[in-house]
Amino acid sequence: MSRFFKGSDSESDSSDDSEEVQIQRPAVTTKVFQFSDDEEETRRVVRSEKDKRYDELLNIIKSLKNKKKIKDMSNVLSDFESLCKAFDKAKKVVEKEGIPRFYIRTLSELEDFVSECWEDREGRKKMNKINAKSLTTLRQKLKKYSRDFEKELEEYKENPDASEDELDAGEGEESEESEEDEPVTTFLKVKPDKPAHQITDISIVRIGESAT
């Protein structure tokens, strides 16, 4: 190969090198988020022992009320037994906080329910064997269990809480009164010939009244 071609090759190589464009990729940055101990504590939901035990009792009581409405005596008995066990688990909380009033109320209402069902002889005759047997067992167990809360039950019955029906009726009366006593909506009448910051003449116009 001649020198001419060799020189041209070297020149072309150098020109290619000079024409090379170096593409720089932007550096990828990774953000690392760190939370302080205080932030982690606020993000973590921690339930107290009291809340856990009370929620367990209240959930059983809710189920018990539903079973009482349909007089499912077998499941009423089952829920009562579960309630007693849940109360035993909550003994540490009860020793510290005292017996919750909602628990005494539940026992009192259950006593009334069992007495009502027991005295209804016609209703007992219509029960199937399982419900009739469950009612007898529930009556015996409840009577024995309530002896440990005899003082609290007596105090509660002297000053019982309002029943759910009474509470619902009270809420209805309050809503009716609130509708009757609802204040009349008012609007502000402002003269448009002045800027807002210079307004000095403001009158209140009630609905149904003509503006003067």
Side-chain angles (χ1 to χ4, degrees):
M1 186 179 291
S2 63
R3 293 179 180 179
F4 175 77
F5 289 106
K6 288 183 179 179
S8 62
D9 291 340
S10 62
E11 288 177 359
S12 62
D13 293 339
S14 61
S15 62
D16 291 341
D17 294 339
S18 62
E19 291 178 358
E20 284 183 358
V21 179
Q22 295 181 354
I23 302 173
Q24 295 182 352
R25 296 181 179 180
V28 179
T29 57
T30 304
K31 294 183 179 180
V32 179
F33 296 94
Q34 295 181 348
F35 297 96
S36 64
D37 294 339
D38 294 338
E39 290 174 336
E40 288 181 356
E41 289 180 1
T42 56
R43 289 166 63 88
R44 189 187 304 124
V45 179
V46 180
R47 298 177 64 199
S48 66
E49 182 71 12
K50 176 182 175 181
D51 293 336
K52 289 180 182 178
R53 297 308 178 192
Y54 278 18
D55 285 348
E56 185 178 1
L57 290 170
L58 290 170
N59 287 333
I60 298 173
I61 290 171
K62 183 178 180 181
S63 174
L64 180 63
K65 288 181 179 180
N66 292 331
K67 301 303 185 299
K68 283 164 55 182
K69 289 179 181 179
I70 59 176
K71 292 187 177 182
D72 184 357
M73 305 309 301
S74 176
N75 281 314
V76 170
L77 174 60
S78 177
D79 284 344
F80 170 69
E81 292 173 344
S82 298
L83 187 65
C84 296
K85 292 178 181 178
F87 186 79
D88 288 338
K89 292 180 181 179
K91 274 188 176 181
K92 292 182 179 179
V93 176
V94 173
E95 289 174 359
K96 182 179 179 181
E97 304 289 340
I99 302 173
R101 187 172 176 83
F102 67 80
Y103 191 76
I104 299 301
R105 174 181 178 175
T106 300
L107 293 180
S108 178
E109 291 178 348
L110 187 57
E111 281 185 342
D112 295 338
F113 171 76
V114 171
S115 296
E116 181 182 350
C117 292
W118 188 260
E119 292 172 2
D120 183 11
R121 295 183 178 180
E122 294 298 326
R124 276 197 290 159
K125 290 179 181 179
K126 295 179 181 179
M127 288 184 181
N128 57 41
K129 292 182 179 180
I130 295 176
N131 279 337
K133 184 177 179 180
S134 297
L135 175 60
T136 303
T137 304
L138 175 62
R139 182 170 177 265
Q140 294 172 350
K141 288 189 173 184
L142 180 61
K143 185 176 181 180
K144 182 179 179 181
Y145 185 77
S146 297
R147 291 173 184 171
D148 295 335
F149 306 92
E150 187 174 357
K151 180 181 177 181
E152 289 80 8
L153 285 168
E154 288 179 358
E155 292 176 352
Y156 177 83
K157 290 179 179 179
E158 290 176 359
N159 186 25
D161 297 336
S163 64
E164 293 181 356
D165 294 337
E166 291 174 349
L167 289 174
D168 294 339
E171 290 177 358
E173 293 176 358
E174 290 179 359
S175 60
E176 292 177 359
E177 292 177 358
S178 61
E179 291 178 358
E180 294 177 356
D181 299 337
E182 184 178 357
V184 180
T185 306
T186 59
F187 297 91
L188 294 179
K189 178 188 174 186
V190 180
K191 290 186 177 182
D193 56 346
K194 292 184 181 182
H197 67 277
Q198 295 181 358
I199 294 174
T200 57
D201 186 7
I202 299 177
S203 59
I204 297 177
V205 179
R206 295 178 178 272
I207 294 177
E209 296 181 359
S210 58
T212 55

